[in-house]
Amino acid sequence: MTPEQLRTVLAEAAADTVRTAHPADGAVLRRADGRTPGHWHSNLALRTAARLDGADAHDVAEQIAEALRRHPDIAAVTVSGPGFLGIEVTAASLLAAVCAIIAEQIADAEPGADAVPAADAHTSADDGDPAPEVPDGPARALDDDPVHLIRRSHAHGRRLLRNAAAAGVPGGCPRTAARGDVGVGEARPDSAEIVGAETLDTGERSLLVHVTEAADTLARTRDPAALTATLADLAHAYLDWAASHTLVPTLDADITAVHAARAVLVDAVTTVLARGLRLLGVRAPERM
């Protein structure tokens, strides 16, 4: 489930609950910071209650939460404080959303669209793909050059995916999500078709949410500063994940569903980073 889809679900839940035509006016949806339950936080109930004379925001939030819990792609909803909603979406719906992001990127790509002067390539001259290394120390040490951080993270992810493919790790997206001819309104991956979604841990699900938020931001703004900040934030989150998770199993370990799901995760991260770099007029390198 993407942020845009969740906004629609929230608006419909509020409309069905309080019977008002525009319950979501002024409502804000933000990615959770990890300190409170859920993937997303919304002030929808507070904004909706403000439009209703004498309505208690917490009661309105409980009613909206009850409606949201009936949605198949929503795993849990909590109400906190005066009426803030904490929303957790299912892992399968998150993977389905990023598979759609990957498919749309493939469909939208045009030959030469990412071309930049050769001097900006900064790619490695070697042909091999040794195991990628996460930058020493916190990723935030590269904050002085956020574009370099974004490019380095993209190259790291692409190398990780090449190594995974060489080891026989399958991609987790359904076939329809990987084809470049998927058009608007055509088949998208269904949540039930996604392999390995439930094997992802809490941090990996949060990274999937991060990917959908970044893709949503890229679709809404062309401001270079906002794009750079969004991409650098995603790059930080990816490198933090890469420092504590593996995509390629060791020689004595079996390839499992979690590796396929992680391949989708890394593919989605690099897809969004590449899209953002292209918007900034910068090449997304395969190697650095």
Side-chain angles (χ1 to χ4, degrees):
M1 179 177 286
T2 65
E4 187 61 34
Q5 291 167 337
L6 182 53
R7 291 186 192 100
T8 299
V9 171
L10 279 164
E12 291 174 349
D16 290 345
T17 299
V18 300
R19 307 298 179 187
T20 183
H22 302 288
D25 288 354
V28 175
L29 181 68
R30 289 195 176 96
R31 180 169 49 85
D33 58 12
R35 292 177 293 181
T36 52
H39 296 134
W40 298 99
H41 288 167
S42 174
N43 66 346
L44 172 67
L46 296 170
R47 299 293 300 184
T48 300
R51 298 171 57 90
L52 305 173
D53 292 338
D56 180 82
H58 193 276
D59 289 343
V60 171
E62 290 289 359
Q63 294 176 55
I64 294 174
E66 186 60 31
L68 290 173
R69 292 183 187 112
R70 293 193 289 269
H71 194 283
D73 288 338
I74 293 181
V77 185
T78 58
V79 177
S80 60
F84 292 106
L85 294 164
I87 304 156
E88 178 184 342
V89 297
T90 66
S93 72
L94 286 172
L95 273 186
V98 299
C99 280
I101 290 169
I102 294 167
E104 287 166 4
Q105 172 71 3
I106 294 171
D108 290 344
E110 297 178 0
D114 292 329
V116 294
D120 191 42
H122 299 301
T123 56
S124 171
D126 63 31
D127 293 326
D129 277 322
E133 295 181 357
V134 176
D136 292 335
R140 286 157 185 79
L142 297 175
D143 274 346
D144 288 342
D145 189 352
V147 173
H148 178 71
L149 168 67
I150 298 162
R151 298 177 77 244
R152 184 171 179 176
S153 299
H154 178 272
H156 181 280
R158 295 304 300 167
R159 177 173 289 186
L160 199 62
L161 288 170
R162 289 193 297 272
N163 289 347
V169 175
C173 285
R175 184 180 180 85
T176 54
R179 292 168 49 211
D181 58 352
V182 177
V184 176
E186 295 184 33
R188 296 295 184 199
D190 183 82
S191 297
E193 298 176 321
I194 304 298
V195 175
E198 298 306 320
T199 64
L200 297 176
D201 63 32
T202 300
E204 291 172 309
R205 298 180 192 197
S206 295
L207 183 54
L208 286 170
V209 173
H210 207 140
V211 170
T212 65
E213 180 193 48
D216 185 68
T217 300
L218 266 56
R220 291 171 174 271
T221 185
R222 291 297 181 268
D223 176 64
L227 291 173
T228 301
T230 294
L231 295 170
D233 194 33
L234 178 59
H236 285 317
Y238 164 71
L239 292 177
D240 287 345
W241 170 85
S244 58
H245 295 77
T246 58
L247 173 53
V248 180
T250 58
L251 291 176
D252 58 346
D254 293 332
I255 295 173
T256 65
V258 71
H259 298 109
R262 286 175 178 172
V264 175
L265 173 57
V266 176
D267 195 3
V269 169
T270 57
T271 294
V272 172
L273 292 179
R275 169 65 174 163
L277 286 168
R278 189 165 77 235
L279 292 174
L280 291 171
V282 179
R283 180 182 178 185
E286 289 291 308
R287 295 178 173 83
M288 284 186 72

